[in-house]
Amino acid sequence: MCGIIGVIGDDDASQVLVDGLRRLEYRGYDSAGIATLVGGAVDRRRAPGKLNNLDETLRSEPLPGAIGIGHTRWATHGVPNETNAHPHIAGRVAVVHNGIIENFRSIKNELGEQGARFASDTDTEVVAHLLDRLLDQGLTVEKAMVALMERLEGMFALGFLIGGGEDVIVGARRGAPLAIGWGDGKMYLASDAIALAPYTPQVTYLEEDDFVIVRRDGADIFDGAGRKVSRPVINTNLSGAMIGKGNHRHFMKKEIHEQPTAVAETMARYLDPVFEEVTLPGLDVDFAKVPRVTLIACGTAYYSGLIGKYWLEQVARLPAEADVASEFRYRHAPMPEGGVAVFVSQSGETADTLAALHYARSQGQTIVTITNTETSTMARESDVVLPTHAGPEIAVASTKAFTCQLTVLLSLAIAAAKARGTLSDEELTKATRALASLPSELARALHIEEKMKDVAHGVADARDVLYLGRGTSYVVAMEGALKLKEISYIHAEGYASGEMKHGPIALIDERVPVIVVAPSDELFEKTMSNTQEAAAREGQIILITDQEGADQAGDVAERTIILPRVDPLIAPVTYSVPVQMLAYHAAVRKGTDVDQPRNLAKSVTVE
Ligand code: AGP
C-alpha cells in the first residue's frame, strides 16, 4: 500500500507534497515523510503516525527545496516508527516505495558484506543503497535504473530523488500504479491521479516495468530494457476540492447518509426509469450463452460479489461463483470458455483482485470490473467497466461503495435474466421496480438511526458478537460483522444461521449479542428456528426485520429493529444500513478512530 508523491518546480515543494499526501492518506497512515533537494543534497523530515504529525514537524523544522518526494506508509516490513518511515536515504539517493521488495533479504546481506549500514527494518532501504552503488559505478541514471529494476523482485512503485546531479525526480513501477502529472512549469509523480487533482488533470500512467525521469519541463519514459517509450496522456477531470465531512462528525456517518443519492446516481447509468429497462453500457455479452460468471473481490467488495452470485443464480438462473481474490489467484481454478469474470473494487487498485484479474485474463474470460475509480488500474485493464458513482469514499470502512456495487450487480442480474428469459415480463417489471425503489427505500432505512444508536451502545461493551442470517441476509451478517470488527475492534462473526449449530453455538452465553438479520422472506421461519436455538442458550437476541417479521417472531428477541418492508430482492441493500449504523455507533461509543481505524488502509495494494 502506501502513497507516493513527487514534485519538481521552482517554489516550495513541501506544501504540495503534504497536500498530495493528504489525498493519499487512504493508502496508509502509519507514518509520513518528505525529502527535498536542498543545495543539491537530499534532506528529509519524517514523523510516525498520521500526517498531522508530519505537518507539526514541518512547522517547527521547515524543509526548503523546490524538488521533492513524499510518502504515507502502511507498514509491511518494520514497525510504524520514525526510523522505518520513508523516505529512506543512502548516500545521494532518497527513495519512497509502495509495495514489497521480495528479495530484500538477499540484497541486504550482499550489501551488508560490502560494508553498507542499514538504519531501518524495512525492505525499502536496500533500494536506496542499490541505486546509490550503481551510480557510484559511474552509470547514468537511465542505465542505473535498468540495472536496479533487474535486481528487484516483488511489486513496487518507487520515487527517487538523487542529489549532486541534474534536477530530476525518478519513478518506476512493477505491479503497483504510478502516474506522471503534466503541470504548467511543474511536473509531478503520484500513486494516483486523485493526489494530483488540484494541480493538473493531465496524467500519464506508467506501464508494467516502466521507469521515468521527470524534469521541470517534461518527462522521458523508458521500458524495462531502457528503451524510450511513449505512453498516452489522459485527461482525468477529477475535482481538486478536498472532500469535507459536511455536518457530520465522521466521513463514515456522512457516507452512510449519502447512500440514497449515491445509489440513485449509480442507477441512473443502468436504469431507464421511463421504459423500466436495465442496460449495461459497453457490455456486449450474450448472457444466454455465458456458461458461468465468476465474481472476485476482497473484503466488503467480496460480500457484494457474493450477493451478486445469489442474484445471478436466483434471478437469471446463471451459474455463478464468488471468491476472495487472495485465494482465487493461487488456486489455478479452471474457468469455462466463454465465461465472464466480474471484479468488484471500490479503489480498483487492490493487489489481490488485480492479480486475480490477470489470471482470469489468461483463462480467456471476458473481464468486467465494477469500480468506483474509473481511472484505476483495474478499470484500465478490463474489457468493460461498470462504474459505481458513489463519489469519493474516504472512511476506511466501506458503506456507500458497497450499496452502489450491489446496485450494479442487481442491474447485471436483471439484464442477464432478460437475456436468458428466466423471468416473465411481469416478474421482470417487478424486479426492475424493486431496483428503482432503492434510493427511496434506503432513505427510509436511514430513519432507524436513533434506535440503532441505542442498540449499538448496548453492544459496545461486548467481547464477542455473532451475526446470523440466511440467503443474502447471511452475506449482510458477514458484512455487519466485518464492519463492527474493523472500526470498533470488537470480535464479531457473521454466520449462516443454519450453520450455527455446527460450531459457533458453543460461543453463545448471556454476554453475547446475537444480531439476527431477517427480513420476512421465504427463509424467515428457518432463521427464526435458529434464533430460538440461540435464545435458548441465553444469547441477547437483536432482531432486525420488518413489521411482518416482528409480528411472527413473538418475544424471542430482547430488541427488535423494524425496517420498512421491501421486496426481498433488495433487502440485502436496505438491511446493510442498520449493520453499518450499529458498527458506527459502537465505535463512536468506544472512542476508536472511526474513519482511520488502526492497522488498516483504504486501499490494499500489497498482497
Ligand atoms: C471494508 O470496509 C474494507 N475496508 C475492505 O474490506 C475493502 O472493502 C477491501 O479492502 C476491498 O477494497 P476495494 O473495494 O478497494 O478493492
Side-chain angles (χ1 to χ4, degrees):
M1 319 225 287
C2 309
I4 291 179
I5 178 97
V7 61
I8 174 163
D10 289 315
D11 48 9
D12 184 31
S14 67
Q15 226 181 332
V16 174
L17 295 173
V18 171
D19 177 70
L21 290 180
R22 215 166 277 297
R23 289 161 204 283
L24 289 170
E25 224 182 352
Y26 74 90
R27 301 175 78 92
Y29 36 78
D30 287 337
S31 66
I34 63 171
T36 58
L37 276 183
V38 182
V42 288
D43 195 3
R44 70 180 166 194
R45 302 284 181 271
R46 302 180 293 174
K50 304 218 165 119
L51 192 56
N52 288 345
N53 299 347
L54 176 66
D55 232 358
E56 264 172 42
T57 305
L58 284 165
R59 262 197 289 278
S60 52
E61 292 174 73
L63 189 61
I67 308 170
I69 53 175
H71 187 265
T72 180
R73 177 169 190 243
W74 185 80
T76 59
H77 295 63
V79 297
N81 58 18
E82 184 175 338
T83 313
N84 289 329
H86 301 213
H88 293 286
I89 294 181
R92 80 201 76 174
V93 175
V95 65
V96 289
H97 169 215
N98 164 32
I100 293 175
I101 306 298
E102 285 168 3
N103 58 339
F104 85 99
R105 276 195 191 81
S106 61
I107 298 175
K108 196 168 181 174
N109 289 341
E110 182 191 313
L111 294 176
E113 279 163 20
Q114 293 167 21
R117 290 286 161 266
F118 296 93
S120 76
D121 300 322
T122 65
D123 53 334
T124 306
E125 198 182 353
V126 300
V127 181
H129 281 272
L130 255 187
L131 185 61
D132 190 49
R133 294 210 164 202
L134 290 164
L135 292 168
D136 271 348
Q137 291 163 16
L139 296 183
T140 60
V141 173
E142 286 99 299
K143 293 245 160 44
M145 283 304 295
V146 174
L148 176 76
M149 305 255 307
E150 271 170 13
R151 285 299 313 274
L152 300 180
E153 288 167 19
M155 54 165 289
F156 48 79
L158 294 162
F160 297 97
L161 267 193
I162 302 170
E166 237 194 301
D167 279 355
V168 292
I169 48 176
V170 179
R173 74 150 275 172
R174 180 179 298 154
L178 194 62
I180 305 159
W182 303 82
D184 194 7
K186 258 191 192 166
M187 292 287 293
Y188 306 88
L189 203 59
S191 297
D192 65 30
I194 297 164
L196 301 179
Y199 307 109
T200 177
Q202 309 279 110
V203 303
T204 295
Y205 284 96
L206 292 189
E207 291 183 11
E208 202 56 358
D209 277 323
D210 282 354
F211 69 89
V212 61
I213 300 179
V214 187
R215 284 178 297 277
R216 279 189 184 80
D217 58 353
D220 288 325
I221 305 173
F222 302 85
D223 66 11
R227 287 179 297 244
K228 231 184 205 182
V229 288
S230 89
R231 306 291 183 216
V233 179
I234 59 168
N235 203 323
T236 60
N237 281 330
L238 291 167
S239 157
M242 257 313 192
I243 314 301
K245 291 178 195 153
N247 295 327
H248 298 280
R249 187 167 156 201
H250 296 102
F251 281 110
M252 184 179 176
K253 177 117 184 290
K254 173 173 171 259
E255 289 158 7
I256 289 172
H257 283 264
E258 282 173 347
Q259 290 179 108
T261 322
V263 162
E265 300 247 332
T266 300
M267 194 188 294
R269 178 107 175 203
Y270 303 99
L271 176 73
D272 181 331
V274 178
F275 295 99
E276 294 188 325
E277 201 177 357
V278 175
T279 50
L280 303 166
L283 185 55
D284 189 19
V285 165
D286 181 358
F287 277 104
K289 297 200 179 115
V290 170
R292 193 180 81 195
V293 175
T294 311
L295 302 117
I296 301 156
C298 299
T300 287
Y302 162 65
Y303 292 139
S304 67
L306 196 49
I307 291 173
K309 164 189 157 76
Y310 278 75
W311 279 334
L312 283 164
E313 288 174 346
Q314 285 165 10
V315 179
R317 308 290 305 140
L318 178 52
E321 289 308 329
D323 212 334
V324 284
S326 55
E327 283 300 310
F328 180 83
R329 63 180 290 189
Y330 292 118
R331 239 189 27 238
H332 307 292
M335 302 188 84
E337 201 183 324
V340 173
V342 177
F343 298 86
V344 188
S345 176
Q346 189 284 130
S347 62
E349 299 293 351
T350 302
D352 284 320
T353 312
L354 182 60
L357 184 153
H358 293 153
Y359 176 78
R361 165 84 64 212
S362 76
Q363 300 298 298
Q365 306 294 290
T366 298
I367 308 292
V368 179
T369 288
I370 297 175
T371 181
N372 205 32
T373 319
E374 284 184 78
T375 53
S376 62
T377 310
M378 271 182 234
R380 283 181 280 118
E381 296 197 17
S382 299
D383 298 317
V384 183
V385 181
L386 300 178
T388 52
H389 291 281
E393 191 181 66
I394 308 295
V396 164
S398 186
T399 53
K400 61 176 180 170
F402 177 64
T403 44
C404 287
Q405 288 158 0
L406 293 180
T407 304
V408 180
L409 284 161
L410 184 53
S411 305
L412 179 73
I414 292 173
K418 188 172 181 199
R420 294 168 69 84
T422 50
L423 294 181
S424 66
D425 287 351
E426 204 180 311
E427 288 166 332
L428 202 57
T429 306
K430 186 169 172 284
T432 309
R433 285 187 185 161
L435 171 70
S437 72
L438 271 177
S440 58
E441 293 300 352
L442 279 166
R444 294 212 293 157
L446 289 173
H447 290 143
I448 50 148
E449 177 134 33
E450 279 311 307
K451 290 198 182 104
M452 263 351 270
K453 187 171 171 181
D454 199 37
V455 170
H457 289 174
V459 167
D461 294 327
R463 207 189 61 178
D464 305 291
V465 178
L466 197 58
Y467 287 71
L468 299 177
R470 271 181 191 258
T472 51
S473 298
Y474 158 46
V475 189
V476 176
M478 289 193 284
E479 167 62 4
L482 175 64
K483 285 287 92 94
L484 188 71
K485 54 191 153 194
E486 172 171 42
I487 59 170
S488 74
Y489 317 146
I490 298 170
H491 170 245
E493 297 291 338
Y495 249 86
S497 55
E499 188 66 10
M500 181 190 60
K501 55 187 165 295
H502 299 286
I505 198 165
L507 292 172
I508 299 178
D509 62 23
E510 70 287 354
R511 287 164 304 180
V512 178
V514 180
I515 319 291
V516 181
V517 182
S520 59
D521 58 16
E522 57 180 15
L523 299 171
F524 182 79
E525 278 180 20
K526 304 272 174 211
T527 308
M528 279 307 108
S529 306
N530 304 129
T531 307
Q532 293 286 359
E533 292 156 8
R537 273 79 188 173
E538 296 184 40
Q540 307 163 23
I541 308 295
I542 297 158
L543 174 64
I544 307 176
T545 185
D546 48 36
Q547 189 59 58
E548 201 167 307
D551 294 344
Q552 280 183 57
D555 58 5
V556 66
E558 270 181 35
R559 296 288 310 261
T560 302
I561 299 296
I562 298 179
L563 281 184
R565 187 164 158 70
V566 292
D567 187 315
L569 192 62
I570 61 163
V573 191
T574 56
Y575 278 65
S576 298
V577 172
V579 298
Q580 293 166 350
M581 286 175 168
L582 176 53
Y584 172 77
H585 287 291
V588 172
R589 177 71 159 207
K590 288 193 76 180
T592 56
D593 189 338
V594 172
D595 286 334
Q596 294 186 325
R598 70 184 180 201
N599 305 341
L600 288 168
K602 182 74 182 155
S603 175
V604 183
T605 57
V606 292
E607 264 196 73

